[in-house]
Each structure stands twice: as structure tokens, then as C-alpha cells.
């Protein structure tokens, strides 16, 4: 978050873990997403849109040498206001199942 400017709408994606599902053929990565906005309603709406796009649009896509097989919710967006910037923040987490080619 070193480049985040208070008051700017911002979306962060960060890996939070993962595991090998099937030896040498399928992996799972956990990805957290955090949405910052000065307006709480706009913040939750954007977080839900990010969640929808990840869950609905990512499966079947090729990203580099990986094919995304499936995406599942780990945690739906929850409210985590930022104490230092006083901005609204909603964060959630998904699991991305993919196969390397």
C-alpha cells in the first residue's frame, strides 16, 4: 500500500496462500481483494462487483501459462474501515483453481 493515496478509489489483490490440489496438474491460490473508497455505499458496491467479476468471469480464462478452472468464495466482502486513512474498506477472499500448461 505504499502507492495508495488517501481519498483515491483503490482495489488491491494479494495472494494469501494456497496449495497443490493434484500433483503436478492443479493448484489452488487464495487471493484477498481489498477495496478502498471515501463513500461507504460506493465501496461495498465496488467490492461486490469485484467479487462478481472474479467468480463469474475468471473461470475458463488463460492467464499467462495457467488456465483458470474454477473460482470459489472463501470470504464474502466484509467491512474493515482503515484506521489511519479513515477510508471505507471492504475486503474478501477467493480460491482460484488453475492448471499450468
Amino acid at each position: 500500500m505504499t502507492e495508495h493515496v488517501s481519498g483515491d478509489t483503490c482495489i488491491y489483490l494479494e495472494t494469501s496462500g494456497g496449495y497443490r490440489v493434484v500433483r503436478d496438474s492443479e493448484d489452488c491460490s487464495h487471493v484477498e481483494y481489498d477495496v478502498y473508497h471515501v463513500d461507504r455505499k460506493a465501496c461495498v458496491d465496488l467490492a461486490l462487483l469485484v467479487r462478481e467479476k472474479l467468480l463469474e468471469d475468471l473461470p475458463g480464462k488463460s492467464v499467462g501459462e495457467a488456465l483458470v478452472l474454477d473460482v470459489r468464495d472463501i470470504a464474502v466482502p466484509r467491512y474493515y474501515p482503515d484506521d489511519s486513512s479513515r477510508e471505507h474498506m471492504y475486503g474478501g477472499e477467493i480460491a482460484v483453481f488453475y492448471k499450468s500448461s
Side-chain angles (χ1 to χ4, degrees):
M1 295 217 10
T2 57
E3 296 178 23
H4 177 70
V5 176
S6 252
D8 286 352
T9 300
C10 190
I11 300 169
Y12 287 99
L13 298 173
E14 182 176 41
T15 185
S16 60
Y19 54 90
R20 176 66 44 108
V21 180
V22 178
R23 184 175 301 278
D24 296 326
S25 66
E26 185 181 345
D27 289 304
C28 176
S29 291
H30 295 182
V31 178
E32 292 179 352
Y33 54 95
D34 298 328
V35 176
Y36 289 79
H37 200 290
V38 294
D39 179 75
R40 186 170 181 175
K41 169 91 169 82
C43 189
V44 71
D45 289 347
L46 185 54
L48 291 170
L49 180 62
V50 167
R51 175 181 177 256
E52 177 185 333
K53 293 297 181 184
L54 291 170
L55 292 173
E56 300 296 328
D57 294 350
L58 198 52
K61 300 268 188 200
S62 290
V63 180
E65 294 184 11
L67 171 64
V68 178
L69 303 171
D70 197 10
V71 179
R72 295 192 183 137
D73 266 326
I74 293 175
V76 297
R78 290 186 47 188
Y79 186 58
Y80 301 99
D82 188 292
D83 291 334
S84 60
S85 70
R86 313 290 288 169
E87 293 172 285
H88 301 287
M89 193 278 277
Y90 278 83
E93 188 173 13
I94 58 165
V96 180
F97 296 88
Y98 59 96
K99 178 179 169 176
S100 298
S101 53

